[in-house]
């Protein structure tokens, strides 16, 4: 049986707004480049405004379907060589410690710009997609949980699809291969964007 920790966490994909950029292996490389260019411009502007960029990767490593965030956080910390990462495999950020983490970010960093990473449910055709959304993350929306609106921008990795099964089944049935590929892709986008913004 799924505990409340995970019930607070998961959310489904909202209807795609016009400011969402989407990429998967079936789409053209130009779309991947568009996300990198968009994020790079955001990072450059943040530096001009003397805002510190923080990556907040939400999820748990206890269930495959929920591990996208902490896995991506570990990859970002390793590949982008930044210490401004909250939520890794070693120290996950989830429903029980999200609010304290947000308070710590505001206390530690000067005018932080927060970019979130989280797993999402979508349609069967969307599995494997990465969305970069020019808006805060609403964690727990699908389950109508009261968690704070989080961040300035966010990545959603669609790891599984909605069906009549309970949400706990989603956690158990998600393929590690899917989560790993999505985590690597998001970390690649962030690493490339960091490098491009620093040039």
């Amino acid at each position: 049986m799924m505990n409340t920790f995970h019930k607070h966490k998961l959310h489904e994909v909202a209807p795609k707004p016009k400011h969402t950029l989407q990429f998967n292996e079936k789409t053209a490389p130009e779309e991947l480049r568009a996300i990198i260019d968009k994020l790079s411009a955001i990072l450059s502007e943040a530096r001009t405004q003397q805002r510190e960029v923080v990556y907040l990767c939400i999820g748990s490593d206890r269930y495959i379907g929920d591990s996208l965030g902490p896995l991506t956080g570990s990859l970002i910390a390793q590949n982008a060589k930044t210490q401004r990462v909250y939520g890794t495999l070693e120290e996950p950020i989830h429903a029980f410690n999200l609010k304290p983490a947000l308070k710590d970010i505001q206390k530690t960093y000067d005018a932080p710009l927060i970019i979130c990473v989280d797993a999402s449910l979508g349609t069967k055709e969307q599995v494997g997609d990465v969305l970069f959304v020019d808006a805060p993350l609403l964690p727990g929306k699908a389950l109508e949980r009261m968690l704070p609106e989080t961040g300035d921008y966010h990545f959603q990795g669609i790891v599984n699809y909605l069906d009549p099964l309970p949400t706990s089944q989603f956690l158990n049935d998600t393929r590690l291969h899917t989560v790993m590929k999505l985590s690597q892709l998001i970390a690649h986008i962030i690493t490339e964007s960091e490098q491009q913004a620093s040039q």
Side-chain angles (χ1 to χ4, degrees), residues 57 59 61 70 74 85-94 97:
C57 304
D61 61 343
S74 291
V85 179
Y86 283 68
T88 62
L89 290 173
E90 184 177 3
E91 297 182 359
I93 298 296
H94 44 70
N97 62 2

Side-chain angles (χ1 to χ4, degrees), residues 68 128-130 157-159 178-187:
L68 176 79
D129 285 0
V130 169
I158 304 178
V159 299
T178 300
V179 175
M180 190 67 189
K181 289 181 71 175
L182 284 168
S183 295
Q184 290 172 334
L185 179 54
I186 295 171

Side-chain angles (χ1 to χ4, degrees), residues 163-176:
D163 60 25
L165 296 173
T167 305
S168 57
Q169 194 66 32
F170 148 77
L171 291 168
N172 294 327
D173 285 353
T174 299
R175 294 190 63 204
L176 176 59

Side-chain angles (χ1 to χ4, degrees), residues 12-199:
E12 65 182 281
V13 174
K16 186 170 71 170
K18 61 182 179 181
H19 51 256
T20 296
L21 295 172
Q22 180 175 354
F23 175 79
N24 60 42
E25 290 187 339
K26 299 182 291 294
T27 57
E30 289 78 11
E31 296 184 18
L32 174 60
R33 174 49 55 184
I35 296 180
I36 293 172
D37 289 344
K38 170 72 172 178
L39 181 55
S40 176
I42 291 168
L43 299 179
S44 296
E45 183 179 0
R47 289 175 180 172
T48 300
Q49 298 173 347
Q50 297 185 326
R51 301 184 66 184
E52 295 183 273
V53 178
V54 178
Y55 298 98
L56 177 59
C57 304
I58 302 170
S60 167
D61 61 343
R62 294 180 181 271
Y63 288 87
I64 292 173
D66 204 22
S67 63
L68 176 79
L71 179 55
T72 305
S74 291
L75 291 173
I76 295 169
Q78 175 184 337
N79 298 339
K81 295 180 172 58
T82 175
Q83 301 299 314
R84 295 172 278 106
V85 179
Y86 283 68
T88 62
L89 290 173
E90 184 177 3
E91 297 182 359
I93 298 296
H94 44 70
F96 288 163
N97 62 2
L98 176 58
K99 290 181 181 180
L102 290 171
K103 288 182 180 179
D104 187 66
I105 290 170
Q106 295 296 334
K107 180 180 178 181
T108 304
Y109 297 96
D110 185 24
L113 186 145
I114 303 173
I115 299 174
C116 298
V117 178
D118 199 8
S120 295
L121 302 176
T123 66
K124 192 170 184 178
E125 293 72 27
Q126 286 179 307
V127 174
D129 285 0
V130 169
L131 308 181
F132 180 65
V133 185
D134 185 2
L137 177 68
L138 296 172
K141 182 179 178 182
L143 297 171
E144 299 181 353
R145 303 295 177 178
M146 297 302 294
L147 288 174
E149 185 177 84
T150 305
D152 299 281
Y153 303 88
H154 69 274
F155 285 94
Q156 292 180 8
I158 304 178
V159 299
N160 213 332
Y161 59 91
L162 296 163
D163 60 25
L165 296 173
T167 305
S168 57
Q169 194 66 32
F170 148 77
L171 291 168
N172 294 327
D173 285 353
T174 299
R175 294 190 63 204
L176 176 59
H177 177 70
T178 300
V179 175
M180 190 67 189
K181 289 181 71 175
L182 284 168
S183 295
Q184 290 172 334
L185 179 54
I186 295 171
H188 168 73
I189 291 169
I190 290 171
T191 301
E192 288 289 314
S193 300
E194 285 273 355
Q195 293 175 351
Q196 185 169 313
S198 64
Q199 294 176 353

